[in-house]
Amino acid sequence: MSQFDVVVIGAGPGGYVAAIRAAQLGFKTACIDAGVNKAGDAPALGGTCLNVGCIPSKALLQSSEHFHAAQHDFAEHGITVGNVQFDAAKMIERKDAIVTKLTGGIKFLFQKNKVTSLFGTASFVGKNGDFWQLEVDDKGAKTTVEGKHIIVATGSTPRALPLVDIDNVNVLDNEGALNLTQVPAKLGVIGAGVIGLEMGSVWKRVGAEVTILEASSVFLGAADQQIAKEAFKYFTREQGLNIQLGVKLNKITSGSKVVVEYNNAKGEAQTAEFDKLIVAIGRVPNTHGLNAEAVGLQKDERGFIVVDGECRTNLPNVWAIGDVVRGPMLAHKASDEGVAVAERIAGQKPHLDFNTIPWVIYTDPEIAWVGKTEEQLKAEGVDYKKGTSGFAANGRALGLGKAKGTVKILADAKTDRILGVHMIGPMVSELISEGVVGMEFCASSEDIARIVHAHPTLSEVVHEAALAADKRALHG
């Protein structure tokens, strides 16, 4: 029986990073994962994010943006192209190649850092002295390993919709949405969250008629509503996404077509017929098969593993990170928790501030934010000030042909400390890091305003928003 100092269950962005960091700190480390490649004939590390989530979706978004640009944007640059054609299968092939390269990269990193990679599902068996026993099931071939510390990083799975089963033929989850090899004439999406908006954007750009049905009456409720309303305008009026809010689903029938019966926000009965339907109504923690009950591992009423502020469970030396615990279901949050847990096992004192974790939606324009929204500050009775600036007059944005969007900085009215940064516009997934660093170091809006920003760059809009927070904008 193999014994390890640290055993990580799950090789997603939280698990594989935790395993690598633990090995770097001198611990004998193993990582157990049951992920397989698209063909189903070989192991694939990286979890949902790398295989059927973050990475492949960004590849498709980029491909679809290029196709859209060739059709609609090249002419204003003086570039004339012929009959632009789109090959969905080729786009999927490129996406798959990127995924294969990165999963192989994790395998290399495991070898480099001497992490033992074990294939299969893991479940708790019990305890042997100071060691926890785990059964590893590799398609029926079972072995037992022991770990002094266990890190549960089993991630999440798509939330089911009771009205219809996912078959990934006509009714798709995120994985199915990433593997369409033909453009559906009519595409329906249930859910206007990150996955729904990103996948809807991909297939709209390449020719699908896209309808997004959202139960909430508020668009992007987690985002600052000034930014969300601007995004809604771009997505609906300019890009042609049919986003319906306040929808109540009644019945979904899947046959040669997918028929959705629902009531709109006015309560009127509606019927829509789609070639494909993507179900993107959120995700739930993946604790199935852990045998948590056998060892008394505590879960809450929603199925999340209960942890304290440092990711400790109720069991000694058993930790949990990422989507399977409280907090935002974000890959980068999981990775940082994994690093922090490995360092805590080593006796270090790392700190992770949830208030400075950035959020990003990779639509066009992109949306990103960190910290409190204006709505949250009002609800909490915080006296704040704000500064906004747009990309419309930014030289770099105009040169890119992407002069749309806004940067908004919220700061404490008395201390000027930055409380939140919210953006919609070109490459704000990159620009948001300035806000993250600023908040992590307790910067004021004046600190950002006093920093010299290169010209011409998109970052000048952040600078201008910081100046505007003190009512001294130079270009607004």
Side-chain angles (χ1 to χ4, degrees), residues 37 44 48 81 104 205 218 357 454 467:
N37 64 6
T48 294
V81 294
R205 288 187 200 122
V218 178
I357 294 176
L467 286 167

Side-chain angles (χ1 to χ4, degrees), residues 196-413:
L197 289 173
E198 290 185 354
M199 289 298 94
S201 295
V202 166
W203 296 107
K204 171 62 180 174
R205 288 187 200 122
V206 297
E209 179 184 319
V210 178
T211 299
I212 301 178
L213 304 176
E214 168 60 46
S216 174
S217 60
V218 178
F219 182 64
L220 290 178
D224 186 277
Q225 283 305 290
Q226 178 182 343
I227 300 298
K229 289 174 183 177
E230 188 172 348
F232 189 82
K233 178 184 71 176
Y234 291 142
F235 297 155
T236 55
R237 296 181 195 173
E238 297 188 15
Q239 298 177 16
L241 289 173
N242 178 12
I243 303 175
Q244 299 189 34
L245 305 175
V247 166
K248 181 183 180 297
L249 297 174
N250 298 318
K251 184 179 180 181
I252 300 177
T253 306
S254 179
S256 58
K257 302 283 186 178
V258 184
V259 179
V260 180
E261 299 174 38
Y262 65 96
N263 290 98
N264 63 19
K266 296 179 180 179
E268 300 165 337
Q270 305 285 316
T271 300
E273 185 178 274
F274 303 110
D275 297 292
K276 304 288 182 181
L277 180 71
I278 299 172
V279 177
I281 57 172
R283 301 181 66 82
V284 294
N286 179 27
T287 56
H288 178 71
L290 278 175
N291 200 25
E293 295 75 16
V295 291
L297 180 62
Q298 185 180 356
K299 295 186 285 185
D300 67 15
E301 66 280 358
R302 297 184 299 161
F304 289 95
I305 295 174
V306 176
V307 293
D308 65 10
E310 296 189 334
C311 294
R312 291 182 174 86
T313 71
N314 63 306
L315 302 178
N317 295 340
V318 177
W319 313 71
I321 62 172
D323 287 6
V324 82
V325 302
R326 80 287 177 268
M329 287 184 167
L330 299 170
H332 42 284
K333 174 257 195 182
S335 293
D336 274 21
E337 282 184 329
V339 170
V341 165
E343 292 176 350
R344 285 170 189 141
I345 292 171
Q348 298 179 17
K349 303 291 183 183
H351 172 68
L352 180 61
D353 182 357
F354 277 20
N355 196 48
T356 58
I357 294 176
W359 295 68
V360 180
I361 304 176
Y362 294 86
T363 45
D364 183 18
E366 295 181 344
I367 303 167
W369 70 92
V370 62
K372 301 284 188 179
T373 65
E374 191 168 357
E375 289 72 30
Q376 288 173 322
L377 295 177
K378 286 179 179 177
E380 295 169 9
V382 177
D383 190 11
Y384 67 93
K385 58 183 180 178
K386 66 179 176 181
T388 62
S389 183
F391 288 94
N394 176 264
R396 179 68 171 143
L398 286 165
L400 291 170
K402 293 182 176 292
K404 297 175 184 176
T406 303
V407 174
K408 177 177 181 177
I409 293 179
L410 302 169
D412 188 281

Side-chain angles (χ1 to χ4, degrees), residues 388-391 394 405-407 431 457-466:
T388 62
S389 183
F391 288 94
N394 176 264
T406 303
V407 174
L431 295 180
T457 62
L458 299 173
S459 69
E460 289 177 285
V461 183
V462 181
H463 181 242
E464 193 74 14

Side-chain angles (χ1 to χ4, degrees), residues 397-456:
L398 286 165
L400 291 170
K402 293 182 176 292
K404 297 175 184 176
T406 303
V407 174
K408 177 177 181 177
I409 293 179
L410 302 169
D412 188 281
K414 296 182 180 65
T415 67
D416 196 32
R417 180 174 175 177
I418 297 172
L419 303 175
V421 181
H422 307 272
M423 307 176 175
I424 179 170
M427 300 302 290
V428 297
S429 57
E430 307 294 334
L431 295 180
I432 195 63
S433 292
E434 182 169 6
V436 174
V437 172
M439 288 186 63
E440 190 67 32
F441 284 89
C442 302
S444 65
S445 67
E446 185 178 2
D447 288 328
I448 302 298
R450 295 290 180 186
I451 295 171
V452 177
H453 289 66
H455 172 77

Side-chain angles (χ1 to χ4, degrees), residues 11 33-38 42-47 51 99 103 119:
D33 189 78
V36 294
N37 64 6
K38 185 176 176 179
L45 302 169
N51 289 279
V99 170
T103 55
F119 180 78

